[in-house]
Amino acid sequence: MNTNKSIILRVAVPTPLRQTFDYLAPAGCSPAALQAGIRVRVPFGHRELVGVLLEVVAEPQIAASKLKQVIELIDINPVIPAEVLTLCLWAADYYHHPIGDVLETALPVLLRQGKPAVASIEPNWCLTEQGQVIDLTTLTRARRQADILIWLKSQPSGVTAKQLKEYKVPRTILTALCEKGLVKEASFLPSPASGRRVGDEGWDVSRSVENRREVNTLTPTPLPQAGEGIYHQDMLELNAAQQVALTAILTALNTFQIFLLDGVTGSGKTEVYLQSITKILAQQKQVLVLVPEIGLTPQTIQRFRERFSVPVVALHSGLSDKERLNAWLSAKDGTAKIIIGTRSAIFTPFQHLGLIIVDEEHDVSFKQQDGFRYHARDLAIMIAQAQQIPIVLGSATPSLETLSRAKQGRYQHLHLPERAGVAEPPRFCVLDIRNKYLEEGLSEPLLQAMREHLQQGDQVMLFLNRRGYAPVMMCHACGWMSKCKRCDARMTFHHEPKRLHCHHCDGRRPVPIKCDDCGVKDLQIIGLGTERLEEALKKYFPAVSIARIDRDSTQRKGSMENLLDGVQRGDYQILVGTQMLAKGHHFPNVTLVGIIDADSGFFSSDFRAIERMGQLVLQVAGRAGRVSKPGTVVIQTHHPDHLLLHQLLRDSYRQFATTLLAEREQAELPPFGYLALFRAEVHQAEQAMHFLEQIKGLATKLGESLPIWGPVSAPMARRAGKFRVQLLISSKHRPVLQRCLKRLLPDIEKLKSKQQVRWSLDVDPLEMF
């Protein structure tokens, strides 16, 4: 009979090592407690780490005498359910990434630290029954108390201590209202970013110590059956194409099917999502909605909250650690019915998942660009297949990979060719700015169009995908330019606050008074950024309010939401921004969109650049004329005769994509080929080059005859003080490439030179930098 000392546990530890580690079970623990997915605290070198138990094994990987003992079993039940654990194991294998690091990515920060898997309870104040019906005229001598009661009536969920502070409610007045029996204190589980607490949905939460410790003591109110009472608003009437798409999705419920919902901007894709979700909720199931950017999450949540009377939670990096854990747990125990999140939300555990929606599926933000380089869209498809549920990939400009699979019949292609309701497609105007005078990037025809639309009371949006004031500071005497000392890049001049800023390594320095090379005090700023564009617009339109939306203006928490709310209310007549403005926003009063510079995507070393240029142009253009007012899009360009630009605007994105797909097929590039990119960076370029040359030699010896390019310097050869070199391996067949990588990595781990460089492997890379 085995003793606990002979029970061997295989544990994934959060380290960069591509291996698992064996430990002895703690003395006295029950074998029944050793379930895959629980967290364990283990000794690792001179540290203690939190790992995840993968399995109990019969034989260790090393001599039994060298095994250390697990310090502690942190969980009674698996914190990572079997389906999430299976996904992580598959992802670690496909992306060739250490399983310990993958599992760490899948867990909220507090769980990584070994904290208990229980939700935090926060204090909450709301009106009593007496407070709901009190005649406020009886409080004429207590005007402030009456104001607070009016405010609380508009907050049926109650308010938190933070909200009381923001509303500047004195503690003395709150105490007085409690003593009068008009306000009471309770505790609620917060529902992050939804503005609601679990108490909204009928939870019975008291101040008991038990409820503070255990979430399981809460008793949820059952959802209404057959879809009754699960939504606030009536569903909108669908047009024929929307109805066809909805019927197809509903027919596939409870089965695995991949849908491409390919709809022009403003075609009502979101309404198809919402009506599909109604059916899922009626079946007592949950829905995962992935969006590409944090900035889209608040408005998406608001749209869903307005429609559904079920708990809707957000999961993204903008939440505090407690908020994220609460949201994660509410999805895991089935409390949250709709989960809206960015790419990391793909690892959320669910009680009963029924549908996955990936909105703006083409967006590069779904691919993690450092560390564990996974693609959330592709992992979402794996989840849908494993759980036999449908998945909807929505976009007005689908990626070429997705379009190709739809053409092959692997995805069901649902097309929404027209804008919903009475909205018409915008009118495009390609403006040739060659030899034309530009005032801070603005041509006179564009300025005149802006005046006309503003005079009609409409809003105008200008798109420039370059933040800061100007991209270059240059000496007029000798030609010196403000280059970053750590990157092969110029430093951008920012006006507020005044500084030179490298957008690649985040390096900053004060603005020099004189040239660093010749000492002459004749420094000029060259080029245009959103900050400078905003300044120019204030000169042309001094009486018009302007909102600038870019990474600089939205750094503070809540600033993005406040700016977007102001746009919706009509507080701003002109919107200036980067691609943060281009993705999925609904601005009903924007009738004119101006694209200041449409040329950058045409001339790039990245083979994906033209595809992204086309997507970005149409996504930006889609903000114009989304309701009853006609929209106009003015595109300023020095290349008005470019064939692909004309094809994009004259024909359709589908025709534009077909041309690009034909070019990709000839070149055997994705989606007609598969890539793996090795990157190495180190302070000495020769060391990185030597390391990748060794990898190339190892790959050649495998005998797979795969095309190998490089090693060569990355497009930006030096970044943050390190030289960067890359090596690209390709194959026409995914299994062949995977087999090559599996054979190659053990040999790479044996190279002594790998200790001298920081290196990584990116499977299916989307960025070549």
Side-chain angles (χ1 to χ4, degrees):
M1 182 175 180
N2 288 339
T3 65
N4 284 342
K5 288 187 178 180
S6 66
I7 299 178
I8 302 167
L9 308 183
R10 187 145 294 165
V11 178
V13 178
T15 73
L17 301 174
R18 289 176 168 81
Q19 65 182 93
T20 55
F21 298 87
D22 291 345
Y23 290 87
L24 294 174
C29 79
S30 168
L34 302 174
Q35 302 178 64
I38 66 169
R39 292 171 298 157
V40 295
R41 198 180 306 278
V42 297
F44 194 84
H46 299 293
R47 300 174 292 163
E48 291 183 3
L49 297 179
V50 175
V52 176
L53 174 60
L54 297 180
E55 59 179 330
V56 177
V57 297
E59 296 294 332
Q61 301 170 103
I62 60 175
S65 59
K66 295 183 179 181
L67 294 179
K68 296 180 180 180
Q69 193 172 63
V70 167
I71 298 169
E72 175 192 8
L73 304 181
I74 298 175
D75 304 306
I76 297 174
N77 298 310
V79 72
I80 300 182
E83 60 273 13
V84 177
L85 185 59
T86 300
L87 174 72
C88 291
L89 289 168
W90 180 90
D93 181 67
Y94 180 79
Y95 292 105
H96 303 277
H97 196 78
I99 180 59
D101 199 26
V102 172
L103 289 169
E104 186 178 45
T105 301
L107 287 173
V109 171
L110 293 178
L111 296 187
R112 299 176 201 171
Q113 297 171 353
K115 297 294 192 299
V118 294
S120 302
I121 305 293
E122 68 174 22
N124 178 279
W125 285 266
C126 59
L127 294 178
T128 62
E129 291 184 8
Q130 182 182 349
Q132 293 280 1
V133 299
I134 186 174
D135 182 359
L136 295 179
T137 60
T138 62
L139 296 174
T140 52
R141 294 186 179 182
R143 187 66 257 171
R144 184 60 174 148
Q145 290 187 17
D147 289 343
I148 292 171
L149 290 176
I150 292 172
W151 175 54
L152 287 173
K153 280 189 176 182
S154 69
Q155 305 289 326
S157 307
V159 296
T160 63
K162 181 180 178 181
Q163 289 172 301
L164 288 172
K165 184 177 180 180
E166 291 173 349
Y167 198 69
K168 298 181 180 179
V169 177
R171 184 75 190 187
T172 53
I173 294 181
L174 186 65
T175 301
L177 289 171
C178 289
E179 290 174 350
K180 291 179 180 180
L182 303 177
V183 174
K184 65 181 179 180
E185 182 182 356
S187 286
F188 290 84
L189 286 173
S191 177
S194 68
R196 311 169 75 171
R197 278 150 293 282
V198 179
D200 296 353
E201 313 308 330
W203 292 84
D204 178 19
V205 187
S206 71
R207 299 285 288 177
S208 69
V209 175
E210 289 75 21
N211 278 336
R212 286 174 178 268
R213 288 201 305 259
E214 296 293 340
V215 179
N216 292 336
T217 58
L218 306 180
T219 306
T221 301
L223 275 175
Q225 298 296 315
E228 295 181 1
I230 60 176
Y231 50 86
H232 295 298
Q233 294 180 340
D234 291 334
M235 292 181 288
L236 302 180
E237 184 176 349
L238 302 181
N239 60 33
Q242 287 175 306
Q243 188 60 58
V244 168
L246 177 63
T247 301
I249 296 169
L250 295 183
T251 302
L253 295 186
N254 306 312
T255 60
F256 171 59
Q257 176 67 56
I258 307 172
F259 295 98
L260 167 58
L261 186 58
D262 174 8
V264 299
T265 54
S267 60
K269 293 185 292 294
T270 302
E271 186 61 30
V272 175
Y273 299 158
L274 293 170
Q275 296 200 23
S276 301
I277 289 171
T278 299
K279 186 70 172 180
I280 296 294
L281 296 178
Q283 294 182 353
Q284 306 290 308
K285 296 180 182 179
Q286 297 167 286
V287 179
L288 172 62
V289 181
L290 293 180
V291 294
E293 298 281 359
I294 292 175
L296 291 177
T297 313
Q299 72 173 57
T300 306
I301 283 190
Q302 181 181 357
R303 180 91 179 262
F304 279 65
R305 283 186 58 213
E306 288 172 351
R307 177 64 63 89
F308 300 110
S309 59
V310 299
V312 179
V313 302
L315 270 169
H316 54 73
S317 60
L319 303 177
S320 69
D321 291 344
K322 286 185 178 180
E323 288 174 330
R324 191 172 181 86
L325 177 58
N326 286 341
W328 192 87
L329 290 171
S330 68
K332 185 174 185 287
D333 67 18
T335 303
K337 299 302 177 185
I338 301 174
I339 294 82
I340 301 173
T342 50
R343 63 174 175 260
S344 59
I346 195 60
F347 298 105
T348 306
F350 291 90
Q351 185 75 238
H352 199 175
L353 187 61
L355 176 68
I356 300 175
I357 294 169
V358 183
D359 194 29
E360 308 293 352
E361 66 81 29
H362 67 277
D363 200 288
V364 70
S365 299
F366 285 123
K367 176 70 187 259
Q368 175 71 26
Q369 297 297 347
D370 54 29
F372 173 33
R373 292 174 166 84
Y374 65 94
H375 200 305
R377 179 198 61 207
D378 297 343
L379 291 186
I381 292 173
M382 296 302 299
I383 294 172
Q385 183 177 25
Q387 302 199 24
Q388 290 297 294
I389 60 174
I391 177 171
V392 180
L393 311 178
S395 177
T397 55
S399 66
L400 295 190
E401 286 83 355
T402 297
L403 275 176
S404 175
R405 288 163 191 157
K407 287 177 179 291
Q408 294 168 9
R410 296 166 60 186
Y411 300 173
Q412 186 172 342
H413 198 162
L414 307 173
H415 190 47
L416 305 180
E418 299 176 349
R419 286 191 161 186
V422 296
E424 295 292 333
R427 180 177 64 89
F428 287 96
C429 174
V430 178
L431 191 57
D432 183 0
I433 57 175
R434 291 174 296 185
N435 299 316
K436 284 189 171 59
Y437 174 72
L438 300 178
E439 177 68 27
E440 306 293 17
L442 298 167
S443 64
E444 180 53 38
L446 176 57
L447 286 169
Q448 182 57 35
M450 292 177 66
R451 295 186 191 101
E452 294 172 0
H453 283 259
L454 292 172
Q455 287 171 2
Q456 295 170 4
D458 298 326
Q459 292 173 315
V460 172
M461 186 178 110
L462 297 184
F463 172 76
L464 176 64
N465 206 23
R466 189 162 53 241
R467 63 190 174 102
Y469 191 87
V472 179
M473 172 172 276
M474 186 177 74
C475 174
H476 190 55
C478 71
W480 167 88
M481 287 184 286
S482 54
K483 293 183 179 179
C484 177
K485 295 180 179 180
R486 305 176 68 225
C487 304
D488 288 338
R490 300 183 184 95
M491 298 192 82
T492 300
F493 174 75
H494 286 254
H495 198 273
E496 292 294 338
K498 193 164 289 187
R499 68 189 188 279
L500 291 178
H501 188 178
C502 177
H503 292 167
H504 301 282
C505 71
D506 204 33
R508 305 174 189 218
R509 60 169 292 196
V511 177
I513 299 174
K514 59 184 180 179
C515 175
D516 286 358
D517 281 358
C518 69
V520 173
K521 297 181 180 179
D522 191 5
L523 300 180
Q524 299 181 355
I525 48 177
I526 310 297
L528 184 68
T530 51
E531 209 178 8
R532 191 172 189 175
L533 181 58
E534 179 187 23
E535 182 181 85
L537 290 168
K538 288 178 180 177
K539 181 178 71 175
Y540 278 104
F541 304 98
V544 174
S545 56
I546 301 171
R548 174 167 59 88
I549 300 179
D550 56 27
R551 191 176 298 177
D552 297 317
S553 66
T554 58
Q555 285 183 344
R556 292 185 178 181
K557 188 173 183 178
S559 56
M560 180 72 167
E561 295 94 313
N562 292 335
L563 283 169
L564 293 177
D565 288 343
V567 172
Q568 297 289 347
R569 291 192 303 267
D571 296 346
Y572 305 104
Q573 282 72 54
I574 298 178
L575 290 61
V576 177
T578 58
Q579 62 180 341
M580 294 177 71
L581 271 180
K583 301 176 181 180
H585 298 294
H586 178 65
F587 303 132
N589 293 318
V590 170
T591 56
L592 175 66
V593 166
I595 299 177
I596 303 302
D597 178 13
D599 296 334
S600 57
F602 289 122
F603 306 100
S604 171
S605 59
D606 188 346
F607 70 88
R608 299 183 190 273
I610 293 181
E611 174 192 1
R612 290 180 185 154
M613 180 278 301
Q615 291 168 340
L616 194 55
V617 166
L618 291 187
Q619 291 285 341
V620 174
R623 303 314 109 201
R626 292 176 64 90
V627 190
S628 57
K629 299 178 181 179
T632 300
V633 180
V634 176
I635 301 175
Q636 293 189 158
T637 175
H638 288 90
H639 304 276
D641 300 323
H642 198 288
L643 293 178
L644 282 174
L645 178 61
H646 273 275
Q647 186 178 53
L648 179 68
L649 303 180
R650 182 187 66 244
D651 298 332
S652 66
Y653 177 78
R654 183 181 293 189
Q655 191 60 44
F656 169 81
T658 298
T659 300
L660 293 183
L661 280 171
E663 294 177 356
R664 296 270 188 96
E665 186 171 19
Q666 283 188 328
E668 295 184 359
L669 289 170
F672 303 100
Y674 301 92
L675 304 178
L677 184 67
F678 285 94
R679 295 185 176 95
E681 55 182 49
V682 69
H683 292 289
Q684 299 296 326
E686 296 79 10
Q687 289 180 316
M689 193 70 72
H690 172 66
F691 174 67
L692 292 186
E693 284 284 5
Q694 287 184 296
I695 293 181
K696 183 176 183 178
L698 292 172
T700 303
K701 290 179 182 178
L702 294 178
E704 297 284 2
S705 300
L706 298 181
I708 303 176
W709 287 278
V712 296
S713 295
M716 182 183 292
R718 190 170 63 101
R719 182 175 180 178
K722 293 184 179 181
F723 289 91
R724 308 188 308 157
V725 180
Q726 53 195 39
L727 178 76
L728 189 67
I729 302 178
S730 71
S731 174
K732 291 182 66 175
H733 306 287
R734 193 197 303 268
V736 175
L737 181 60
Q738 284 288 323
R739 183 173 66 241
C740 170
L741 296 175
K742 280 183 171 61
R743 295 173 60 194
L744 184 59
L745 283 168
D747 292 335
I748 294 175
E749 295 290 352
K750 298 174 185 176
L751 295 175
K752 293 182 179 179
S753 58
K754 79 179 181 68
Q755 305 295 335
Q756 302 171 345
V757 301
R758 179 184 176 186
W759 69 281
S760 63
L761 169 61
D762 190 354
V763 177
D764 302 333
L766 292 186
E767 299 280 5
M768 304 290 178
F769 54 78

